[in-house]
Amino acid sequence: MATRTISPSRGPAKTSGRDRAERRLALRMTAPSLVIMALVAAVPIGYAIWLSLNQYSVRTAGLSRFVGLENYINALASQEWWAAFGQTLLFAGLSVSLELILGTAMALLLNLAFKGRAVLRTVVLLPYAIITVVSAITWQTMFQPNMGLVTNVLSMLGLPGGDVVWLGEHGYAMAVIVMADVWKTTPFAALIILAGLQVISAETYEAAELDGASKWQTFVNITLPLLRPAIVLAAIFRTMDALRVFDLPFVLTRGANGTESMSMLAYTQLRENRLVGEGSALSILTFLTVMVVSVIYVRFAGGNIRDVAKEEQ
Amino acid sequence: MDLNRPALPLQNKTARNRKALAATAVAAALLLSACGGGAVPQGAEQAAVADPASGANASGAVNICGVKDASGIYKGTAEAFTKANGKVTAKYTEIGATTDEARTQIVQRLEGKSTECDLFLTDVIWTSEFASQGWLLEQTKLVEANKDRLIPSTVETTKYQDKYWASPFFTNAGLIYYQKDKVAKPESWQQLYAEAAKAPGNGYVYQGKQYEGLTVNFLEMLYSVGGEVLDDQGNVKIDSQETRDVLDFMTEGLKNGSADRAVLTYNEDPARLAYESGDFGYQRNWPHVYRLLNATPLASSFGVAPLPAWEGGKASGVLGGWNLAISAHSTNQAGAVAFIDFATTPDWQKHVAMDYSQAPVNEAAYSDPAVLEKMPFATELLASVKGAKPRPISPVYPQISQAIYKNVYAVLSGTASTEEAVQKMAEEITAAKASF
């Protein structure tokens, strides 16, 4: 959605005969992929909604009974759901804000002209190329008490934290998970913001310089506002991802110490407990949360994307 | 939908695509439920029965599926069987890197009536669930025919509704490894904890992470006090003074330094590695650790003991281990029976101990001189195995275990009081039972 608003406008909407013919052709050509999209996206989502309205028997595999919204009511009445909901929001809020701040800084750095910039850009992206589960295991090893790298270095330097059981304490466990996520996905945010940075024309900066603006003024009054669409885009992507977080808490803590995410809760019900109806309801609730948050983004922050796009024309 | 396809992204840790891994739970829900939805109702009552005599005239190929073969025992047994039998060829297929993943994969195949695997290596705690779904071939006759070669407590792990659904292959019971130069052999939990608290290097490490292993560590202590989760009729009995005593005891141990606080992040391997650093006095772990410890500088200074008793009580561990279950959809049931016959022979059970450091299900193996040479702690191990009890027997065991480890963890990590945890445990276990 956001990408489309960012792209150059489609020009005046005059509908000539040729236009109509072209549109029909376009429709015909995209029809197959639309059908496929409907099959792979709409059908399964519809099926999940249907499953979430049923109660599946663990006693007799496959036997189900229509229960309406009961699974949802039970989920919304449960402490587990609200704990997971709060924890996921906390995780998303912390990690996305850190990623945007660091990502912007990183993008500004990478935008400078210096020798070896191309190499650095590739290197910076490395954490993002690592499979999340693998990086989660690496972080777990680093924060292992007694022999982990972090705890050892901290104790060696005599700093506090050397005797903290990072993944075994409330607060600290979430901090490590946020750090792991920030480490991994800041490059992704940086990349999007860098792209935004590069479309700002040099003339704008030249004009600012002529007007005698300081570096800081240029940054606050020119760079940041013009970067807003890119930052919002990065925020949308990252927030949606963060709200679905599964592998980091799964590997690092198994959901202990206030780190169980919504996806993990759904996983446990579906996979470990084979409660298909309850699990599907939790999945749909997760899906709705992600959707509501992205709609809010597009409505409020997304408005800026449109404004800026218009201003740029 | 093709049910024999490889793992769903969410479960497959080796998936190369990050996006696939981060895919929404919705997607996983869909795929999974699409598989579960179509199964025809079938319960344990209507299951077919394995014919013990059929093994003799078996032929063809048998595919055994299970967890990653770390010690080589599964592949080794399959090869030895193929060589010894001559008519049936056996092959071992790894379908999961960890126990959890293997269970997911097995459930998927069983729900989808896959004929890929004739035999499944099943964790002792899966029997009730699988049997209750009508996924397994009943093995009562086979087990009764082999009963005289099997340790009774191991046979108990294959029981559901008075029938047997698998044959034990090798068993497992917790052991205490201790540093002979620092601490005394533990006679009671109280003594172990007191010794561990005496000096900084004496500490005790166990598996205290929020997962199945914590349930086991907790139950080992609970059983030794005489507490229980479910009684013989299946009533919830966890809300008891015994449970409170154990929770308080474990919490106190973490506070006074008997047990290192790091155990809150340990499963089997980190506990072993921490112990190998030499900074601890006691470790609770499984028998396979013996072989690994022998390859470390601690080789000459450690001893092995069965799990201690509660002061004034009787020691009682929790049984682990792996069973051989025949898939209800196997196309070579006779071959599977022949394989089980071979795997449980007293002769092969000796190899289970000597070649792979696993606990045999045949009692005679433990006193065999060749076994004792390779496994000097066989006597202690047998004591642990014979004294051990199965974990709560229920088709909703996974939920019961979650109720236990989540609440025990909450107490140990200091986020819940003993009282709150006991009540929540009882409530959640009752709710879990009601979901079946």
Side-chain angles (χ1 to χ4, degrees):
Chain A
M1 233 178 286
T3 33
R4 205 178 62 199
T5 47
I6 260 184
S7 66
S9 68
R10 273 155 289 159
K14 265 191 286 172
T15 39
S16 64
R18 215 183 109 199
D19 254 4
R20 269 201 298 276
E22 265 192 10
R23 247 178 229 177
R24 270 201 301 277
L25 178 67
L27 202 64
R28 271 212 300 281
M29 290 177 82
T30 50
S33 48
L34 284 177
V35 171
I36 290 169
M37 283 291 284
L39 283 176
V40 299
V43 171
I45 290 176
Y47 189 48
I49 293 174
W50 168 247
L51 290 174
S52 71
L53 300 176
N54 283 278
Q55 192 167 53
Y56 283 75
S57 164
V58 179
R59 187 187 293 270
T60 322
L63 206 67
S64 72
R65 169 169 80 84
F66 186 81
V67 294
L69 293 175
E70 200 181 298
N71 290 328
Y72 291 92
I73 294 164
N74 289 342
L76 291 173
S78 75
Q79 225 183 316
E80 280 74 23
W81 162 258
W82 290 111
F85 180 78
Q87 280 148 201
T88 313
L89 287 194
L90 177 69
F91 165 80
L94 287 174
S95 63
V96 174
S97 21
L98 282 170
E99 279 154 25
L100 293 181
I101 295 169
L102 294 174
T104 309
M106 216 176 199
L108 289 169
L109 208 68
L110 289 174
N111 198 36
L112 297 176
F114 59 88
K115 221 173 149 191
R117 184 169 72 163
V119 179
L120 191 66
R121 275 185 189 172
T122 320
V123 172
V124 154
L125 258 180
L126 270 181
Y128 192 62
I130 295 172
I131 306 157
T132 311
V133 172
V134 175
S135 73
I137 292 169
T138 314
W139 279 82
Q140 188 188 32
T141 318
M142 283 197 321
F143 278 93
Q144 219 155 55
N146 297 322
M147 59 211 142
L149 181 75
V150 173
T151 36
N152 277 347
V153 168
L154 287 175
S155 341
M156 245 161 54
L157 298 174
L159 289 170
D163 52 358
V164 169
V165 181
W166 289 87
L167 294 166
E169 305 279 351
H170 253 273
Y172 287 117
M174 179 61 91
V176 173
I177 291 176
V178 169
M179 268 194 270
D181 193 60
V182 169
W183 174 80
K184 189 184 150 57
T185 43
T186 299
F188 172 76
L191 201 71
I192 293 183
I193 297 168
L194 181 62
L197 212 50
Q198 288 181 334
V199 297
I200 303 176
S201 70
E203 291 146 41
T204 324
Y205 286 114
E206 279 161 24
E209 216 179 315
L210 281 178
D211 287 343
S214 71
K215 281 252 183 306
W216 178 248
Q217 281 171 325
T218 316
F219 176 69
V220 173
N221 296 319
I222 295 175
T223 313
L224 223 43
L226 290 178
L227 261 189
R228 204 139 100 190
I231 294 177
V232 170
L233 189 67
I236 292 178
F237 279 144
R238 284 306 311 137
T239 310
M240 288 173 75
D241 252 0
L243 289 174
R244 297 183 309 223
V245 67
F246 174 81
D247 19 26
L248 284 173
F250 187 79
V251 172
L252 287 166
T253 59
R254 276 282 173 140
N257 299 310
T259 59
E260 188 163 55
S261 71
M262 296 184 286
S263 300
M264 273 190 73
L265 200 62
Y267 167 87
T268 311
Q269 290 292 46
L270 277 167
R271 280 314 215 178
E272 282 173 33
N273 304 339
R274 296 193 307 116
L275 294 169
V276 179
E278 286 87 338
S280 299
L282 288 169
S283 304
I284 300 287
L285 285 174
T286 309
F287 168 71
L288 287 177
T289 311
V290 176
M291 215 169 79
V292 166
V293 170
S294 24
V295 165
I296 293 173
Y297 261 119
V298 173
R299 256 200 91 71
F300 294 98
N304 292 323
I305 297 181
R306 278 194 291 273
D307 292 345
V308 174
K310 255 185 226 143
E311 276 163 27
E312 272 179 346
Q313 282 159 31
Chain B
M1 175 170 268
D2 177 14
L3 291 145
N4 298 323
R5 63 170 154 43
L8 294 176
L10 216 56
Q11 275 65 52
N12 190 350
K13 297 291 189 297
T14 56
R16 305 205 65 82
N17 187 328
R18 192 202 158 264
K19 282 229 174 96
L21 270 166
T24 57
V26 177
L30 306 169
L31 291 166
L32 158 86
S33 14
C35 304
V40 176
Q42 186 185 27
E45 302 80 29
Q46 305 136 301
V49 182
D51 175 9
S54 67
N57 350 307
S59 62
V62 175
N63 191 20
I64 307 138
C65 300
V67 72
K68 185 171 177 260
D69 193 7
S71 66
I73 183 168
Y74 305 130
K75 286 178 184 158
T77 306
E79 270 166 38
F81 166 75
T82 305
K83 218 189 262 170
N85 186 284
K87 286 185 293 178
V88 187
T89 56
K91 182 181 85 169
Y92 186 73
T93 310
E94 295 176 339
I95 53 170
T98 65
T99 304
D100 285 349
E101 277 172 53
R103 174 173 171 268
T104 306
Q105 291 294 317
I106 293 174
V107 168
Q108 215 173 342
R109 282 166 175 77
L110 289 168
E111 276 188 327
K113 305 190 176 183
S114 158
T115 53
E116 179 195 351
C117 310
D118 300 293
L119 274 167
F120 286 107
L121 251 308
T122 53
D123 192 325
V124 291
I125 50 179
W126 301 343
T127 311
S128 314
E129 182 192 0
F130 290 9
S132 73
Q133 304 298 307
W135 289 339
L136 306 179
L137 200 64
E138 193 201 314
Q139 293 190 24
T140 308
K141 284 184 181 166
L142 186 60
V143 168
E144 305 228 292
N146 290 339
K147 223 171 180 176
D148 50 345
R149 41 164 114 141
L150 304 168
I151 300 172
S153 62
T154 68
V155 176
E156 281 309 291
T157 66
T158 74
K159 202 173 187 175
Y160 174 68
Q161 290 189 344
D162 295 321
K163 291 174 185 161
Y164 298 109
W165 300 90
S167 293
F169 178 33
F170 61 88
T171 179
N172 225 344
L175 293 169
I176 298 290
Y177 297 85
Y178 63 102
Q179 289 305 112
K180 287 188 280 193
D181 47 347
K182 290 199 258 185
V183 292
K185 185 174 176 177
E187 299 299 334
S188 73
W189 284 112
Q190 280 74 5
Q191 184 219 341
L192 185 155
Y193 269 62
E195 281 273 302
K198 262 186 201 159
N202 285 8
Y204 172 50
V205 285
Y206 59 94
Q207 293 76 41
K209 191 178 175 174
Q210 180 171 301
Y211 83 119
E212 178 63 27
L214 179 56
T215 299
V216 171
N217 277 260
F218 169 75
L219 288 181
E220 284 170 344
M221 233 181 248
L222 183 71
Y223 287 169
S224 73
V225 197
E228 52 190 348
V229 180
L230 304 175
D231 67 11
D232 295 340
Q233 278 77 48
N235 302 312
V236 183
K237 288 285 166 201
I238 193 107
D239 187 348
S240 65
Q241 192 50 45
E242 285 83 2
T243 307
R244 288 175 178 80
D245 290 347
V246 170
L247 286 174
D248 289 341
F249 181 75
M250 289 175 89
T251 315
E252 183 54 31
L254 282 170
K255 279 200 193 121
N256 68 17
S258 301
D260 188 21
R261 211 175 153 73
V263 300
L264 293 175
T265 66
Y266 286 170
N267 52 19
E268 279 80 357
D269 237 31
R272 171 179 70 84
L273 291 169
Y275 187 77
E276 283 177 5
S277 70
D279 296 337
F280 297 95
Y282 296 102
Q283 173 193 196
R284 182 249 168 245
N285 220 318
W286 302 100
H288 74 273
V289 166
Y290 178 83
R291 206 176 40 154
L292 301 166
L293 263 182
N294 260 326
T296 70
L298 302 182
S300 56
S301 60
F302 80 91
V304 184
L307 294 175
W310 193 259
E311 207 154 62
K314 179 171 148 279
S316 171
V318 171
L319 220 52
W322 292 84
N323 297 330
L324 288 161
I326 306 175
S327 162
H329 310 293
S330 163
T331 49
N332 190 1
Q333 297 178 349
V337 169
F339 183 85
I340 290 175
D341 264 330
F342 174 83
T344 54
T345 51
D347 186 52
W348 185 252
Q349 284 294 316
K350 277 194 269 176
H351 284 278
V352 163
M354 292 186 302
D355 304 351
Y356 308 106
S357 230
Q358 299 288 5
V361 291
N362 168 263
E363 189 169 340
Y366 291 86
S367 47
D368 188 278
V371 170
L372 275 165
E373 196 188 317
K374 286 265 179 126
M375 205 187 244
F377 61 101
T379 320
E380 284 82 4
L381 182 57
L382 181 63
S384 264
V385 168
K386 287 180 81 174
K389 295 208 308 189
R391 278 164 267 179
I393 291 175
S394 165
V396 290
Y397 177 77
Q399 280 168 268
I400 295 179
S401 178
Q402 280 158 31
I404 295 173
Y405 65 64
K406 280 194 176 174
N407 289 301
V408 171
Y409 190 91
V411 177
L412 297 187
S413 65
T415 54
S417 70
T418 299
E419 202 47 48
E420 283 162 6
V422 172
Q423 271 163 29
K424 270 191 89 181
M425 255 194 260
E427 270 166 38
E428 287 172 20
I429 293 172
T430 310
K433 281 174 54 64
S435 77
F436 184 71

